[in-house]
Amino acid sequence: MPVPWFLLSLALGRSPMVLSLERLEGPQDTARCSPGLSCHLWDGDVLCLPGSIVSAPGPVLVPTRLQTELVLRCYQETDCDLCVRVAIHLAVHGHWEEPKGEEKFQRAADSELEEPRNAFLQAQVVLSFQAYPTARCVLLEVQVPAALVQPGQSVGSVVFDCFEAALGAEVRIWSYTQPRYQKELNLTQHLPDCKGLEVRDSIQSCWALPWLNVSADGDDVHLVLDVSEEQRFGLSLYWNQVQGPTKPWWHRNLTGPQTITLNHTDLFPCLCIQVWPLEPDSVRTSICPFREDPRAHRNLWHAARLQLLPQRGWRIDAPCSLPAEATLCWQALGGGPCQSLVPLLPRVNVTINKALELPLLNVHPNLCVQQVSSWEKLQLQKCLWVDSLGPLKDDMLLVETQGPHDNRSVCALEPSGCTPLLSMASTRAARLGDQLLQDLQSGQCLLLWDDDLRALWACPMDKYVHQRWALVWLACLLFAAVLFLLLLFKKDRVKAAARSRAALLLYSAEDSGFERLVGALASALCQLPLRVAVDLWSRLELSTQGPLAWFHAQRRQTLQEGGVVVLLFSPGAVALCQEWLQDGARAPAPQGPHDAFAASLSCVLPDFLQGRAPGRYVGAYFDGLLHSEAVPALFRSVPVFSLPSQLPGFLGALHEPGDTRPGLLGERARQVSQALQPALDQLLQVPGDPRDSGDGTRDGT
């Protein structure tokens, strides 16, 4: 179940006490002044156009302070709306110009010239009011007798009744004069809701007000509206921006009850919720529940974007106002933090969605704009000119300072600080200090910013980098060439070692069980650096070429490549060998169309008889299938191994003489034994095997 985050009404319930409000009768706006002033409210609203600040021609009235008070505007006894009363305090700004010389006596003689002192000082004061989704501007004319004018002193106040607003809304009020002689006053206020006011019997929207429960459930936020099933209401989500108008984001007309689910990525500090009954002239009530939510502030920074504008301008686009400052920094090519140019170029407050201009004479790809946030110190940084001017450059930023008596000093901005060029430091700038000064004097550096005391220069470092790294690159190339040759030589050796020993397995195809055993041995040997040839895997070639031709081709290729022929002895193979030795003039007939062993005896036995077998042949038999003495004496001129008990020696005979490390052979023997043993055990357990007839061909173990 979601855990309630906070429970509140449709309006913002932050007032800890219940207030009783003054009631105003009728819909008419009014204005009244403090004693000594006269004022008039223009009929209807006016355009909100502050204009630019102009110089005051003399003493003028200007607003100095704003005060608000909540009242009720009632049309009937139980039909009232919440209304904001605004009081504007006024003061005199500027001085009368005193006449000099003869003008003073002429003005004394001319009574008409004293009229300004006896007339009224008049001002047109604008009140601007904004509460989503409405905005109003009204104009007040105020007069004060010139005789009462004392520069810099307050002359009184004007009270306006009133601006209607929704319960729980956030309202903003501005005040300025036309023409405008100073910066406008502004005030932001969050209005209470039905619970904070004694208005339940006066404001109809409070009679059946829905309740809103905002709860968090993992990454989701639920807006649960507890209203009756028959009640219809409007729900709007909008971004309440201080700088600029509000931006609607989502709007629906719904029938209660409803649950609206928002993902945590949709949350922003300025995301507000407005709900109102779908009735004529219903009051809209707003809340902004995510102002202090850390997730909302993180989302705001992730959504913010820096944008480059023409003529060295830039802008930050974001859904909400950012409590941050902007500054320029210098990003070096080698990485590291962007080095701030404060106090050379001071920080400025960020205004979102508004074009700002950078105080630069020229732009550079290494110049970046950095936003520093007061919320968790997050930063948003972008090197705006990388896209238009290319990637970062290996330039050195020089700071030139003008001292007394036209003395100047130059230092280079480095990660350790600003290093004087003519110093004994061991930094890059100090080592190239003389050359950089010559570049600066010869006009090879780009002027980025300048004032009366300091200047910023970007000096290219490419030529020094090329000179310094030329020998390093040459050494690296030579090292790479040597390394490549070594790797190539090692690769050739590994390749030769992997391909130098081919193994041709010859056996007598007695039954399917023995063939499975031979196949297991061949597959296990293939996992080692050996190339194995066996007739089991060449049945198509055997059928096409015949056993004798296939054996001759395989034997010739194996021996030419320095490989070895492996004779796998079994009772059947021993019988064929003895038959051939007893009747050497006639080779025994093959036992089947694929029996390469019988076909090979005519070539294998002459090699043994003529002493050519050592180094080219290896013998082997399987434990439990044959005694070592059963192998004919002629074939014992080469190593004969019992498998798998003598696998290390067998594998050592198959490999090159230089690759006989005991540890490596032991590990390979273990792998081959694991693959061979299941097939051997299965063959030995076959019931009724004719070779188990006690003819002395099996081991007694």
Side-chain angles (χ1 to χ4, degrees):
M1 292 294 292
V3 179
W5 192 1
F6 49 80
L7 187 65
L8 47 125
S9 69
L10 279 175
L12 192 64
R14 292 188 175 182
S15 299
M17 55 184 298
V18 177
L19 302 177
S20 180
L21 304 182
E22 178 185 346
R23 298 169 67 95
L24 303 178
E25 303 297 335
Q28 189 67 33
D29 293 338
T30 61
R32 65 181 186 275
C33 309
S34 59
L37 300 181
S38 62
C39 54
H40 170 69
L41 173 64
W42 279 38
D43 294 334
D45 292 353
V46 298
L47 294 177
C48 303
L49 299 174
S52 302
I53 297 177
V54 299
S55 300
V60 293
L61 287 178
V62 294
T64 58
R65 186 162 57 94
L66 294 176
Q67 282 183 299
T68 61
E69 180 184 358
L70 296 181
V71 296
L72 290 177
R73 169 167 284 172
C74 298
Y75 309 96
Q76 296 179 4
E77 181 67 23
T78 59
D79 185 11
C80 301
D81 289 329
L82 192 64
C83 211
V84 180
R85 171 184 289 166
V86 183
I88 311 167
H89 295 265
L90 302 171
V92 178
H93 174 73
H95 301 271
W96 295 106
E97 293 184 0
E98 294 293 338
K100 299 180 180 180
E102 296 180 357
E103 294 181 1
K104 181 175 181 179
F105 296 101
Q106 292 176 358
R107 180 168 294 181
D110 192 351
S111 60
E112 293 183 358
L113 294 179
E114 289 295 324
E115 181 179 355
R117 293 284 187 173
N118 299 324
F120 287 90
L121 196 62
Q122 180 175 309
Q124 291 186 336
V125 181
V126 177
L127 266 181
S128 176
F129 178 86
Q130 181 178 351
Y132 180 82
T134 60
R136 292 186 59 193
C137 279
V138 298
L139 181 63
L140 300 166
E141 285 190 351
V142 185
Q143 290 183 342
V144 59
L148 302 179
V149 170
Q150 295 294 330
Q153 292 187 0
S154 174
V155 298
S157 61
V158 181
V159 178
F160 170 77
D161 284 330
C162 57
F163 294 114
E164 295 183 14
L167 291 160
E170 181 181 80
V171 299
R172 299 187 181 93
I173 303 171
W174 294 267
S175 180
Y176 51 89
T177 59
Q178 288 186 342
R180 188 159 64 98
Y181 301 115
Q182 64 181 17
K183 185 178 180 181
E184 65 269 17
L185 298 180
N186 64 84
L187 176 66
T188 301
Q189 184 176 2
H190 298 279
L191 304 186
D193 66 348
C194 295
K195 295 190 300 181
L197 299 172
E198 197 176 276
V199 295
R200 289 189 179 274
D201 297 333
S202 302
I203 299 180
Q204 296 180 1
S205 61
C206 293
W207 295 355
L209 202 62
W211 290 82
L212 176 65
N213 178 24
V214 182
S215 60
D217 183 14
D219 290 339
D220 295 331
V221 174
H222 301 299
L223 310 179
V224 182
L225 288 103
D226 185 12
V227 298
S228 63
E229 295 183 358
E230 302 297 330
Q231 185 175 358
R232 300 182 67 248
F233 59 91
L235 176 66
S236 176
L237 303 179
Y238 63 94
W239 293 333
N240 192 24
Q241 294 182 334
V242 176
Q243 303 161 351
T246 56
K247 291 185 178 181
W249 178 52
W250 188 88
H251 172 81
R252 292 289 187 277
N253 291 334
L254 304 170
T255 302
Q258 290 285 341
T259 299
I260 310 299
T261 301
L262 303 177
N263 192 277
H264 71 99
T265 57
D266 298 328
L267 305 184
F268 292 104
C270 62
L271 180 62
C272 299
I273 308 166
Q274 188 176 78
V275 187
W276 65 97
L278 292 179
E279 300 173 358
D281 301 326
S282 61
V283 176
R284 299 190 176 208
T285 309
S286 302
I287 60 172
C288 304
F290 309 111
R291 288 192 181 95
E292 306 300 329
D293 192 325
R295 296 177 300 177
H297 283 269
R298 284 194 294 268
N299 294 340
L300 177 59
W301 278 98
H302 292 159
R305 294 292 182 269
L306 282 169
Q307 180 181 359
L308 177 65
L309 301 176
Q311 302 298 326
R312 296 184 295 277
W314 66 283
R315 182 178 68 197
I316 182 169
D317 297 323
C320 310
S321 300
L322 282 171
E325 295 178 329
T327 182
L328 283 174
C329 61
W330 178 266
Q331 181 64 64
L333 178 63
C338 195
Q339 296 173 273
S340 176
L341 299 183
V342 175
L344 300 178
L345 299 174
R347 299 178 186 269
V348 295
N349 291 328
V350 174
T351 302
I352 65 170
N353 305 327
K354 180 181 179 181
L356 302 173
E357 186 173 354
L358 297 169
L360 296 173
L361 299 177
N362 293 288
V363 294
H364 192 279
N366 294 40
L367 282 174
C368 307
V369 176
Q370 192 176 65
Q371 308 287 338
V372 181
S373 169
S374 59
W375 183 272
E376 296 184 0
K377 300 298 182 182
L378 296 178
Q379 293 183 351
L380 178 66
Q381 176 181 312
K382 185 173 183 181
C383 300
L384 299 175
W385 295 279
V386 167
D387 295 335
S388 58
L389 301 181
L392 298 178
K393 295 182 178 180
D394 189 17
D395 290 0
M396 184 70 70
L397 185 67
L398 302 184
V399 181
E400 181 182 10
T401 303
Q402 187 74 27
H405 309 295
D406 293 334
N407 294 330
R408 66 172 187 170
S409 61
V410 182
C411 63
L413 191 63
E414 295 185 294
S416 58
C418 204
T419 306
L421 294 187
L422 301 179
S423 67
M424 301 301 293
S426 59
T427 64
R428 180 188 184 193
R431 289 193 299 268
L432 300 173
D434 293 334
Q435 295 92 320
L436 288 173
L437 283 177
Q438 293 177 5
D439 293 344
L440 183 61
Q441 294 169 358
S442 61
Q444 299 183 39
C445 301
L446 177 66
L447 178 61
L448 303 179
W449 174 80
D450 186 19
D451 65 4
D452 295 336
L453 298 177
R454 286 166 296 192
L456 294 178
W457 301 86
C459 298
M461 301 289 290
D462 294 343
K463 56 182 178 181
Y464 303 116
V465 174
H466 294 160
Q467 294 174 2
R468 180 179 178 183
W469 290 101
L471 294 177
V472 177
W473 279 112
L474 181 59
C476 290
L477 290 176
L478 291 175
F479 177 76
V482 173
L483 183 61
F484 176 75
L485 292 176
L486 291 176
L487 291 176
L488 185 61
F489 177 72
K490 184 176 180 180
K491 180 180 178 182
D492 290 340
R493 290 193 60 187
V494 171
K495 183 177 179 181
R499 297 182 56 86
S500 62
R501 297 297 280 181
L504 173 60
L505 303 185
L506 295 179
Y507 69 99
S508 175
E510 301 183 18
D511 55 26
S512 59
F514 190 76
E515 286 189 337
R516 281 194 298 270
L517 181 60
V518 174
L521 176 63
S523 299
L525 294 178
C526 285
Q527 303 302 318
L528 310 178
L530 291 172
R531 290 183 298 111
V532 179
V534 63
D535 63 353
L536 279 173
W537 300 340
S538 305
R539 291 293 172 82
L540 181 59
E541 298 178 15
L542 280 170
S543 300
T544 303
Q545 302 175 11
L548 188 59
W550 179 86
F551 167 74
H552 277 293
Q554 294 296 327
R555 173 181 172 276
R556 182 174 58 253
Q557 180 180 355
T558 300
L559 296 180
Q560 286 178 351
E561 294 178 357
V564 62
V565 179
V566 180
L567 301 177
L568 294 177
F569 292 100
S570 63
V574 171
L576 288 174
C577 292
Q578 290 176 348
E579 181 181 351
W580 195 94
L581 292 173
Q582 293 174 1
D583 190 4
R586 181 177 59 87
Q591 302 297 309
H594 308 306
D595 195 345
F597 186 83
S600 66
L601 289 178
S602 60
C603 295
V604 170
L605 291 177
D607 287 340
F608 279 87
L609 293 173
Q610 298 173 12
R612 297 194 302 267
R616 306 168 74 183
Y617 289 84
V618 171
Y621 60 93
F622 295 102
D623 295 341
L625 294 182
L626 196 70
H627 288 291
S628 59
E629 292 82 1
V631 178
L634 177 63
F635 297 99
R636 296 177 192 170
S637 59
V638 298
V640 179
F641 301 96
S642 178
L643 306 181
S645 59
Q646 297 179 346
L647 267 173
F650 176 70
L651 297 179
L654 295 184
H655 286 78
E656 290 286 350
D659 189 16
T660 56
R661 288 171 290 174
L664 180 61
L665 287 180
E667 177 62 22
R668 291 175 176 176
R670 185 185 62 82
Q671 296 174 3
V672 175
S673 178
Q674 289 179 351
L676 191 62
Q677 194 64 47
L680 181 58
D681 293 342
Q682 184 179 7
L683 180 61
L684 293 176
Q685 293 173 3
V686 175
D689 192 332
R691 288 170 305 208
D692 198 15
S693 57
D695 58 356
T697 59
R698 287 190 182 259
D699 282 340
T701 58

